[in-house]
């Protein structure tokens, strides 16, 4: 039972850590560190959700979960089970594997849906988008609304609308393009994918949906940081203000858009010169590493 308690404690720790991360504003000053912490929480939660029923099921072996599962597989092969291990325990082990199958299945479905949406949109761009020497490395959509987004993938595309081009000055446009290229370079679509899968696997947990929202905002802030490294804060902040005033719409499915989330918060953040909290960030990374190491060690021992 001690190993099951460890898994249960990790699930609780993941929940509490997620609550702290969601309520913290230091994450805005260090979005890359915060994203890593959120990823660690998600991984630890998934492993612990699998491990808890498994650990309860193999409790009669009185071994760490990984070695107990190996012993159970060996005993099942030889048709013998230890005293005290019955159908109820085997059912719990099956529940653990079932949770793993659900998480894997939702991840695969999320990947498939995202890739399909990206392929459809890439085909659409081939028909309606055009190159413009004024916007090197990007595609232009002849549409009056303001839009700028990245279509990620092996061959990413940066897309801006004619409405955005008419709205932005040169400095603002350059900052916007750098922002979108940052999404492609750092594969922020893959960062968001596990949280999309968790939302599908655990739709009744509001804090899981909140985690997805927080990570999506942090991804935008990270791309903002990459843009202001080259173009300073003012041009990007000006572009965000213009998108907000224009009523920027959410980017198409499978893409990452400049103005999808919390424009006012991002503008305020850009205009406040706060240094990243190095000590707090290091402590958060240590907690994240501990969360992941607990279930991993139980599965590997």
């Amino acid at each position: 039972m001690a190993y099951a308690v460890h898994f249960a404690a990790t699930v609780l720790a993941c929940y509490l850590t997620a609550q702290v991360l969601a309520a913290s504003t230091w994450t805005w000053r260090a979005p890359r560190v915060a994203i890593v912490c959120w990823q660690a929480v998600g991984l630890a939660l998934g492993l612990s959700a699998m491990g808890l029923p498994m650990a309860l099921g193999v409790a009669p072996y009185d071994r760490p979960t990984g070695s107990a599962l190996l012993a159970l597989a060996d005993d099942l092969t030889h048709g013998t089970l230890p005293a005290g291990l019955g159908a109820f325990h085997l059912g719990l082990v099956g529940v653990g594997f079932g949770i793993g199958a659900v998480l894997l299945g939702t991840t695969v479905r999320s990947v498939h849906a995202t890739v399909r949406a990206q392929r459809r949109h890439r085909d659409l761009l081939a028909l309606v988008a055009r190159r413009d020497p004024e916007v090197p490395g990007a595609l232009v959509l002849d549409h009056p609304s303001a839009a700028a987004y990245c279509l990620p993938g092996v061959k990413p595309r940066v897309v801006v609308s004619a409405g955005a081009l008419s709205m932005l000055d040169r400095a603002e446009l350059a900052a916007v393009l750098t922002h979108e290229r940052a999404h492609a370079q750092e594969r922020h679509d893959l960062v968001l994918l596990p949280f999309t899968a968790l939302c599908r696997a655990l739709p009744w947990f509001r804090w899981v949906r909140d985690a997805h929202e927080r990570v999506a905002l942090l991804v935008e802030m990270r791309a903002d940081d990459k843009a202001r490294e080259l173009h300073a804060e003012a041009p990007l902040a000006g572009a965000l203000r213009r998108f907000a005033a224009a009523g920027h719409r959410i980017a198409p499915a499978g893409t990452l858009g400049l103005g999808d989330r919390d424009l006012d918060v991002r503008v305020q953040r850009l205009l406040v010169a706060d240094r990243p909290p190095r000590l707090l960030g290091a402590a958060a990374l240590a907690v994240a590493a501990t969360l992941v190491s607990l279930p991993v060690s139980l599965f590997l021992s």
Side-chain angles (χ1 to χ4, degrees):
M1 289 293 293
Y3 304 109
V5 170
H6 289 159
F7 280 118
T10 304
V11 171
L12 178 60
C14 287
Y15 171 76
L16 295 176
T17 303
Q19 297 304 304
V20 171
L21 284 174
S24 299
T25 56
W26 70 263
T27 56
W28 298 353
R29 294 151 56 198
R32 181 164 54 178
V33 171
I35 288 170
V36 172
C37 292
W38 275 112
Q39 289 176 317
V41 169
L43 177 59
L45 175 64
L47 291 175
S48 298
M50 292 170 51
L52 178 56
M54 289 181 179
L56 290 171
V58 297
Y61 284 102
D62 195 24
R63 301 183 190 178
T65 306
S67 57
L69 288 172
L70 291 176
L72 174 62
D74 185 64
D75 287 345
L76 288 174
T77 301
H78 293 90
T80 59
L81 292 175
L85 195 151
F88 176 73
H89 295 86
L90 293 177
L92 286 172
V93 174
V95 168
F97 280 108
I99 291 173
V102 169
L103 292 175
L104 179 61
T106 52
T107 301
V108 171
R109 287 198 298 274
S110 296
V111 171
H112 177 69
T114 300
V115 170
R116 186 172 57 183
Q118 290 174 349
R119 184 183 298 117
R120 285 200 303 265
H121 198 70
R122 191 172 284 107
D123 293 341
L124 179 63
L125 289 175
L127 296 175
V128 301
R130 59 179 173 83
R131 298 284 182 179
D132 189 326
E134 297 294 323
V135 195
L139 296 174
V140 176
L141 284 176
D142 288 318
H143 197 281
S145 65
Y149 57 88
C150 168
L151 179 63
V154 178
K155 295 181 178 179
R157 301 284 188 271
V158 173
V159 182
V160 293
S161 68
L165 292 181
S166 64
M167 181 180 69
L168 302 173
D169 63 31
R170 283 186 174 273
E172 291 168 346
L173 177 60
V176 167
L177 294 178
T178 302
H179 173 103
E180 299 305 337
R181 292 184 184 116
H183 282 318
Q185 291 165 358
E186 299 195 355
R187 292 310 305 266
H188 288 159
D189 56 316
L190 299 182
V191 171
L192 287 169
L193 186 60
F195 296 94
T196 303
L198 271 177
C199 285
R200 292 187 177 185
L202 305 171
W204 51 87
F205 286 130
R206 170 147 188 191
W207 66 275
V208 173
R209 299 195 302 273
D210 289 343
H212 181 275
E213 293 296 317
R214 295 300 189 280
V215 175
L217 176 58
L218 290 169
V219 159
E220 292 301 324
M221 289 180 171
R222 173 59 185 163
D224 289 343
D225 286 347
K226 294 293 289 183
R228 68 175 172 178
E229 286 176 4
L230 295 178
H231 306 285
E233 291 84 358
L236 182 59
L240 292 175
R241 285 198 188 100
R242 293 181 189 273
F243 275 107
H248 179 68
R249 297 178 298 177
I250 300 298
T255 69
L256 296 164
L258 172 82
D260 284 355
R261 299 180 185 275
D262 297 297
L263 293 174
D264 291 338
V265 170
R266 288 163 58 194
V267 169
Q268 290 177 346
R269 172 181 175 271
L270 288 170
L271 298 179
V272 176
D274 280 339
R275 293 184 178 181
R278 297 187 183 278
L279 184 59
L280 190 55
L285 288 175
V287 171
T290 302
L291 284 177
V292 174
S293 66
L294 287 173
V296 169
S297 62
L298 291 175
F299 274 117
L300 295 182
S301 57

